[in-house]
Amino acid sequence: MSLFSSTFATLVPRFLGLQTTTCDVSTLFTLTHVFESRSTFFSHYKLPYTHNLKTHIAFVSKFDHTFVLEEEEDRQKKFGPFCDPEEEYFNELDVAVRAVQMACSLCQRVQDTLISNTRTNHQVHSKDDNSPVTVADWSVQAVVSWILSECLGSENVSIVAEEDVQTLSKANASGLLEAVVETVNECLAEAPRFGVQKPIPALGTSEVLETIGRCNSIGGPTGRFWVLDPVDGTLGFVRGDQYAVALALIEDGEVVLGVLGCPNYPMRKEWLSYHHRYHRIISKLTPPASETWNKGCVLYAKRGSRKAWMQPLLHANKMFVWPNDAKRVSVSSIDNPALATFCEPVEKANSSHSFTAGLAHSVGVRKQPLRVYSMVKYAAIARGDAEIFMKFARAGYKEKIWDHAAGVIIIQEAGGVVTDAGGRPLDFSKGLYLKGLDRGIVACSGATLHEKIIDAVDASWGSSSL
C-alpha cells in the first residue's frame, strides 16, 4: 500500500512538512542527486521517483513549472519534531495520524446519520454488558486495521481492539453487516484525500470481516502491538456529544506513541463554553471550506519527545498536508486547587462521583466538575483546558488498556502526570487490562496538584465504599 500523490511535484514536499522557496533552472541543474537521504521513507511508501535527497528537495511545480527548494533545518525550526523520516517511529506516527483523521471523518458522517434519525435501526446495538456499539465502531476498526496493515505491512502489524466480528457474523445481522461494509468503503474511497491509495476494487463483505477480525492480539509484555478504541465514549457518540478515536503503539509493554481524535472537541478553547448542539448548528451554517470554524482536533505525541501536538480535522474536499497546521499543546500551569478544573466520567457506573467530589473538596477544588464522555478528558488536560482527571471505578470493574493508552502518553509528553492512585505508572504490559491498578487513576497537569490528590486518596480511602 502506498501513499498517494496526484503529482509528485506538489505533494512530496508536503508529506515532509516543507515550506518551499523558488529557484531558477540553472540552480536546479546544479543539484545533482538531490534525492539521497530519505530512501527509507520513500521506498517504504512506494512513492514514484524514489531517489534520495541530502540537504535539499527540488521538484517541479504542477502549476507554473517553477523549481522549488527547501532547507531542512528551516523545516525543523518551523514544524518541530515528527517531520523527519529518520526520526524513530516517524512512519508509524505518520500513518497513525492519517488513519485517525480518516476515522474521525467516518464518525462524523455516521453521527450525522444518527442525529437525523435515518437508518438508525441498523446503526446502534447493545453488547452483552448493555453498553452501546454502533456501525461506526466496527467501521472504524476495519478502516484503521486496513490502513495500518497496508501501509506498514500486515506482517508487521498486531492490533488489540475493542470490537470483534461475532455480532456481525450472526445470521440475523445481515442489515448491520451491509451497513458496515458500505460505511467502510465510503471512507476508504476518500483515502487519496489523506495521502493513502484506496483499495481497488472496493472491499467485499468477507474482506471487511477479515480486516476487523485481524484485530485479535492479546497484548503482553514483549513485542510491538497497536491498541485501538474505535469509538471511545459510544454513549456520547450516540447522543451527539463528545467521543474519541484512540490509537496507540505499545512496544515491550511501554506506550511509545499515541493519537487521539476528538471530532466534537473544537480547536479553539473559547468554543468550549458553548453546548455541543450549538457547535453543530454553527458547523452547519459555516461554509465547509471556512477556516474560522474548526470543529474537532487530533492530538498526538511520541515517547521521550516532551512535546504534544494538535491539528484540526480535515475540512471536506481538502487534501491532508502534513503536519496539517499542527500546533504544540501544553498542560496548564495552574497549581492552585482553588483555580483548577477537574474532569470525571459522565456515567456514575464508570466512576464514583461522590468520592471524587469529596477528594476535590478536600484538596480545595471549588469549581464544578467537568463531566466528559470518553478520552476527551485526557485531551482537555493535555491542552490546558482542565488540570485534574480522576477515575475511581467500583469494585469488579476492569480498566481496559485501549481506554487509556493514547491519552496517557499525550498528557505525559505535554508536561503532565498520569499514575494510579498509589502514584505508580499505569502498566500496559499485562494483556487487555490494567492489572494491578491501585484503586483508581489520577491525571494532573503538574506534580503539585498530583501529589495533593494522591495524599487525599490515602487519607479518604478507608471511609469510601469502593
Side-chain angles (χ1 to χ4, degrees):
M1 177 50 137
S2 60
L3 289 181
F4 172 83
S5 174
S6 59
T7 62
F8 178 68
T10 56
L11 211 50
V12 165
R14 293 177 181 176
F15 283 134
L16 295 181
L18 302 179
Q19 179 181 4
T20 59
T21 58
T22 59
C23 63
D24 58 27
V25 176
S26 61
T27 303
L28 175 76
F29 284 102
T30 64
L31 296 173
T32 58
H33 305 292
V34 290
F35 297 100
E36 285 183 2
S37 71
R38 295 295 180 263
S39 58
T40 301
F41 175 77
F42 284 109
S43 63
H44 179 79
Y45 289 118
K46 304 170 190 167
L47 284 170
Y49 314 116
T50 56
H51 308 293
N52 272 340
L53 98 131
K54 287 183 178 176
T55 57
H56 303 84
I57 285 185
F59 57 96
V60 181
S61 168
K62 168 182 175 182
F63 300 104
D64 57 10
H65 302 288
T66 57
F67 295 94
V68 192
L69 183 66
E70 167 63 16
E71 292 283 358
E72 284 192 72
E73 57 189 48
D74 291 340
R75 170 171 57 87
Q76 291 285 353
K77 289 177 182 177
K78 180 173 182 180
F79 294 123
F82 309 145
C83 56
D84 184 352
E86 293 181 354
E87 284 276 340
E88 189 177 19
Y89 306 116
F90 170 83
N91 288 351
E92 293 86 349
L93 185 70
D94 178 65
V95 172
V97 170
R98 293 173 195 272
V100 170
Q101 282 273 359
M102 288 181 65
C104 288
S105 178
L106 182 159
C107 287
Q108 288 179 319
R109 287 196 297 270
V110 174
Q111 191 179 60
D112 285 343
T113 301
L114 290 173
I115 299 301
S116 62
N117 293 317
T118 61
R119 298 194 302 171
T120 303
N121 58 320
H122 288 319
Q123 296 280 349
V124 184
H125 293 258
S126 293
K127 298 182 184 180
D128 293 338
D129 62 359
N130 293 322
S131 62
V133 60
T134 72
V135 165
D137 292 79
W138 284 296
S139 299
V140 166
Q141 187 160 313
V143 166
V144 173
S145 172
W146 187 84
I147 291 174
L148 291 179
S149 295
E150 292 296 311
C151 291
L152 301 176
S154 58
E155 69 280 3
N156 301 318
V157 173
S158 176
I159 305 173
V160 173
E162 185 170 12
E163 310 306 335
D164 57 41
V165 296
Q166 293 180 1
T167 300
L168 291 177
S169 302
K170 293 179 179 178
N172 61 352
S174 59
L176 172 63
L177 178 57
E178 181 182 348
V180 169
V181 174
E182 179 183 352
T183 303
V184 169
N185 282 310
E186 284 177 355
C187 180
L188 292 178
E190 290 194 340
R193 271 205 314 130
F194 298 87
V196 180
Q197 284 187 349
K198 64 183 179 182
I200 300 175
L203 301 185
T205 299
S206 60
E207 291 170 301
V208 170
L209 287 172
E210 189 275 332
T211 302
I212 295 171
R214 194 183 300 157
C215 305
N216 58 3
S217 172
I218 59 173
T222 60
R224 170 186 286 200
F225 58 92
W226 294 87
V227 178
L228 170 66
D229 194 336
V231 180
D232 182 49
T234 303
L235 191 56
F237 176 77
V238 171
R239 294 175 176 176
D241 207 318
Q242 298 293 342
Y243 64 98
V245 177
L247 181 63
L249 179 60
I250 294 178
E251 196 166 60
D252 296 332
E254 298 286 337
V255 184
V256 296
L257 67 84
V259 184
L260 194 59
C262 307
N264 285 341
Y265 196 40
M267 289 279 290
R268 295 167 56 185
K269 184 177 180 178
E270 54 266 33
W271 284 100
L272 294 175
S273 59
Y274 293 92
H275 193 275
H276 66 272
R277 290 188 183 131
Y278 186 79
H279 293 170
R280 297 186 65 81
I281 293 172
I282 293 298
S283 65
K284 296 294 184 185
L285 295 176
T286 306
S290 173
E291 299 297 335
T292 60
W293 168 248
N294 282 321
K295 188 188 81 165
C297 60
V298 173
L299 291 90
Y300 54 93
K302 74 165 187 172
R303 181 179 63 185
S305 67
R306 297 187 180 180
K307 294 181 178 69
W309 299 85
M310 175 177 66
Q311 57 181 223
L313 292 188
L314 195 64
H315 283 292
N317 303 318
K318 284 203 167 187
M319 296 290 292
F320 182 90
V321 180
W322 185 266
N324 193 35
D325 298 319
K327 67 176 184 178
R328 186 177 173 184
V329 294
S330 300
V331 296
S332 167
S333 60
I334 291 174
D335 59 8
N336 181 353
L339 302 176
T341 298
F342 86 92
C343 303
E344 63 181 356
V346 174
E347 296 300 305
K348 294 181 180 179
N350 291 337
S351 186
S352 173
H353 288 174
S354 60
F355 184 66
T356 55
L359 286 176
H361 181 77
S362 68
V363 298
V365 174
R366 297 294 176 257
K367 292 184 178 181
Q368 289 297 310
L370 177 63
R371 289 177 180 160
V372 184
Y373 292 101
S374 81
M375 259 187 279
V376 169
K377 294 179 286 291
Y378 281 104
I381 302 294
R383 281 177 32 163
D385 298 332
E387 287 75 36
I388 303 167
F389 163 45
M390 296 183 284
K391 183 179 181 183
F392 295 90
R394 300 190 182 279
Y397 183 83
K398 295 181 179 180
E399 295 287 356
K400 280 80 69 175
I401 61 175
W402 53 73
D403 285 330
H404 302 281
V408 167
I409 192 169
I410 290 171
I411 285 183
Q412 290 173 335
E413 299 304 327
V417 183
V418 186
T419 69
D420 66 16
R424 299 180 303 183
L426 305 189
D427 187 351
F428 293 93
S429 69
K430 304 298 184 183
L432 304 183
Y433 301 101
L434 291 174
K435 295 180 180 179
L437 193 67
D438 187 344
R439 293 168 289 187
I441 295 172
V442 177
C444 293
S445 56
T448 300
L449 286 174
H450 183 264
E451 185 177 351
K452 290 180 178 180
I453 295 294
I454 297 299
D455 289 344
V457 172
D458 288 339
S460 306
W461 189 256
S463 59
S464 75
S465 58
L466 297 175

